[in-house]
Structures are given as structure tokens and as C-alpha cells.
Amino acid sequence: MTSATSAPLTGAAGVVPTEADWAAAEALLRDLPVGARVLLICHVNPDGDALGSMLGFALGLRQLGVREVQATFPGPPEVPEPLHGLPGLELLVPADAADPAPDLVICFDAASESRLGELAGRLSSAGAALVLDHHASNPGFGTVNLVDPGAAATSVVAERLLARLGVVVDREIAECFYVALTTDTGSFRFAATTPAVHEMAARLLATGISPGDISRRVFDTRPFGAVRLFGEVLGRAQLEPTAAAGRGFVWTFATLDDLARHDQRPYVLEALIDSVRCTAEADVGCVLKQTTSGEWAVSMRSKGAVDVSRVAVALGGGGHTFAAGFTGRGTVEQVVESIRDQLDGALVQPTS
């Protein structure tokens, strides 16, 4: 195979994949030699879409007869507790145990190479790289890129590719994809929820998975310490009604000391943005989550007046128009000021 860095790239950033892109991705997988080693990677601090898409696709590859399959993600090999029930977790390996030179690497839900952390080097050491994603800010960093900004979740792209390969989505694959789809659509509450999304959900439910059990496990179970932590962090939320050209900005932050004091793992903070974004007086909601001294994982949400992906890209991150993030450095005040400075220039322009 040609190296991932020297091979011609397919799939342009921000453009729906063409038939040629789909055919190229299909060929990469169909042309794998017997015994080929395939490494699947999703982004750091994986959420339901990242892990669900990756593990569901991995199970699909096993159905196709690909035996040498590893799945991994950068950083500590810690799966968030709500995702502990996902099928395919046995295929996960720590980042430092991942194949250093696989025949094919497939990336899931990573908007940029930087989201692959210490595993980004696999893009050049692998025989080829296939990128599956739905972030409009994705520049297309693979040999073949299936980046569909119109897809509600990366699992939408993954399911379509498996269908082209003739994989039958069984109950285990369906559960992975359903978790991915529900997490990225906010349980079908976000604007990306289209008729096609519900049609996909119906196909997945038809395999016999239990949406009630899945939703209870993924969305509705939280340690009491996390409940106390949320109360403390929400208690320090700040509302700036004049920010974002008067559309309003609400934000809060959680430190490593907060986590330690309540004996909680960082993953519990992922759901915090949903409690902040519901503020009626603010279009933009934001949560800063400390990762190390002077470094913050920043999550932003918009109700429609502000394109937070423009804010995130300007600050080194990426994402969607109404859901994006970046890594902030400095004090809380410095990071918030950097966001505030970008908001007025990121207003969504009304369509004529």
C-alpha cells in the first residue's frame, strides 16, 4: 500500500463525500490482504459517538472476516462509565499497545489530527488512512476522507459504509450505533435530527435492542458525588447578557480540585454543558473543564445566533456550527476573555 502521507487525498473539507469518495473507501477495505492489520482510532476523551461508531465498525469488520482488528484512543485508557456496556469493548487496547504500523488506520469522529493525540503518527506509519467524521471543520487528513457535515453523527457515516460493504447490522453493532446516534443528537432533541435520523434509529431498534435500558445507562445514571459536583459548579455560573452582540453568554468552570473533592472522574463533566446551555437569557453556553495546570477542555453550545465552530477554530479547535470546542490555556479569566473576544464576529448571518 501507498503511505498515508504520500497517497492522493480524496474528500474535500466541508463537502459531502462524492460517490468516488465512497467507492475509494469501500476499495480500501475490500482490497485488504489476508491477515491485514487494521487499527481504529477515535478522538481523545471519547464520547458516545466516537466510541460507538468505532466499536460498531470494528464489529462490522470482524463480520467481514478481518481478524486483526484493534481499537484505541489517545490518553488514559479509561472508558466513561456510562459506556461500559458497549459491545466490542474487548477490542480496545491502550494507546501504547496499539499497532505501530498497521496496514490500514481508520479514524472516527476526530475533527483534526490534533484530536488523535499521541496516536496521530499512525497516519503516516500506516499503509493508508481512512477518516470517518461529520465535523464541518475537518480538513480531510486521511488518504480517503468520508467527512459529511450534514450527518447527525459519525455513526451515520459508519453505518452507510458498512451497508455498502454488505455487512448485516446485528444487535451488537446496532447498540453501538444507537448510542452514538442518541448522544450526538441529544436523544433526538437537536436540530440535526432529521427524518433520516429517525429512519436509521428505526433500523437499529428493529434488531431488538432496548432503547429504555440504553438511555437509562447512558443518560440517566450518575453517581451522587457527581450530583453534588454539578450543584457546586453550576452555582458559580456567570451570565453575561450583553456578550455575543446582546445574544447572551453563560459560562462556568470545573477544576481538578473539584473532581478530587467529590471523588469523581473527568467524564462526569461531559453532561454539564446540557445544564448550562438551557439558560434562557443566553444564546451561547460554555463549560471549562481543567485537564492539567493551566489547561482547559472547553465545550461550547449555541442556540442558533452564534456559530461556535468559528470561535473554536479561531482558538485552535473545531466542531459544528452549534456545538464545538477547543483546548484553552491560561487562567479561567484568560480563556473566557479569548472566547468573549470572538463571539461578536461569529454571529450567524440570516439567510435571505
Side-chain angles (χ1 to χ4, degrees):
M1 289 186 178
T2 312
S3 75
T5 53
S6 61
L9 303 182
T10 71
V15 179
V16 174
T18 65
E19 175 57 29
D21 296 327
W22 287 103
E26 190 177 344
L28 271 182
L29 292 161
R30 290 198 185 280
D31 295 344
L32 286 172
V34 175
R37 304 187 317 278
V38 181
L39 177 64
L40 283 62
I41 309 173
C42 68
H43 63 68
V44 65
N45 299 321
D47 55 13
D49 190 24
L51 267 180
S53 297
M54 179 174 69
L55 294 178
F57 200 87
L59 293 170
L61 290 179
R62 297 298 293 269
Q63 192 181 120
L64 286 172
V66 182
R67 310 318 303 172
E68 298 298 322
V69 178
Q70 289 183 329
T72 191
F73 53 85
E78 180 179 2
V79 174
E81 191 168 334
L83 303 178
H84 278 184
L86 278 176
L89 285 174
E90 69 278 3
L91 298 175
L92 282 177
V93 299
D96 59 8
D99 193 327
D103 296 294
L104 174 65
V105 63
I106 311 177
C107 302
F108 295 83
D109 205 41
S112 65
E113 290 185 54
S114 64
R115 296 284 282 160
L116 302 178
E118 68 269 30
L119 291 163
R122 300 303 196 281
L123 295 170
S124 56
S125 64
L130 171 60
V131 172
L132 276 61
D133 191 27
H134 69 134
H135 295 92
S137 60
N138 191 312
F141 52 86
T143 312
V144 176
N145 301 283
L146 295 180
V147 180
D148 185 356
T154 296
S155 61
V156 174
V157 181
E159 190 217 25
R160 181 175 174 186
L161 183 55
L162 286 186
R164 291 181 65 111
L165 292 165
V167 171
V168 176
V169 174
D170 59 20
R171 188 167 177 163
E172 288 194 330
I173 297 173
E175 180 166 340
C176 289
F177 284 171
Y178 188 80
V179 167
L181 192 63
T182 55
T183 50
D184 258 30
T185 60
S187 294
F188 309 108
R189 292 180 292 119
F190 298 161
T193 305
T194 62
V197 166
H198 283 297
E199 289 166 3
M200 177 175 169
R203 291 194 298 274
L204 301 176
L205 290 172
T207 65
I209 61 175
S210 172
D213 289 344
I214 292 170
S215 294
R216 192 158 40 248
R217 187 174 73 237
V218 175
F219 300 110
D220 299 332
T221 302
R222 188 169 296 146
F224 182 64
V227 174
R228 297 291 299 271
L229 171 63
F230 274 36
E232 182 176 329
V233 174
L234 289 172
R236 64 171 72 119
Q238 298 292 314
L239 174 65
E240 301 182 15
T242 62
R247 274 71 170 182
F249 174 43
V250 60
W251 59 273
T252 191
F253 66 94
T255 67
L256 294 175
D257 284 344
D258 294 331
L259 287 167
R261 189 165 54 257
H262 293 280
D263 192 26
Q264 295 302 302
R265 306 299 300 162
Y267 78 83
V268 303
L269 296 172
E270 296 305 311
L272 188 60
I273 187 65
D274 292 325
S275 298
V276 175
R277 66 186 292 273
C278 68
T279 303
E281 298 88 347
D283 181 79
V284 177
C286 176
V287 176
L288 285 71
K289 297 158 288 187
Q290 188 178 28
T291 54
T292 61
S293 178
E295 185 171 290
W296 309 83
V298 182
S299 297
M300 296 181 293
R301 300 291 185 270
S302 166
K303 293 175 182 171
V306 176
D307 181 350
V308 289
S309 72
R310 291 172 60 185
V311 177
V313 169
L315 298 173
H320 307 288
T321 302
F322 304 132
F326 68 97
T327 299
R329 293 176 176 84
T331 64
V332 169
E333 292 76 14
Q334 288 169 334
V335 176
V336 171
E337 182 64 23
S338 71
I339 298 168
R340 194 183 292 119
D341 289 344
Q342 297 291 331
L343 290 176
D344 287 359
L347 297 183
V348 174
Q349 299 302 314
T351 57
S352 56

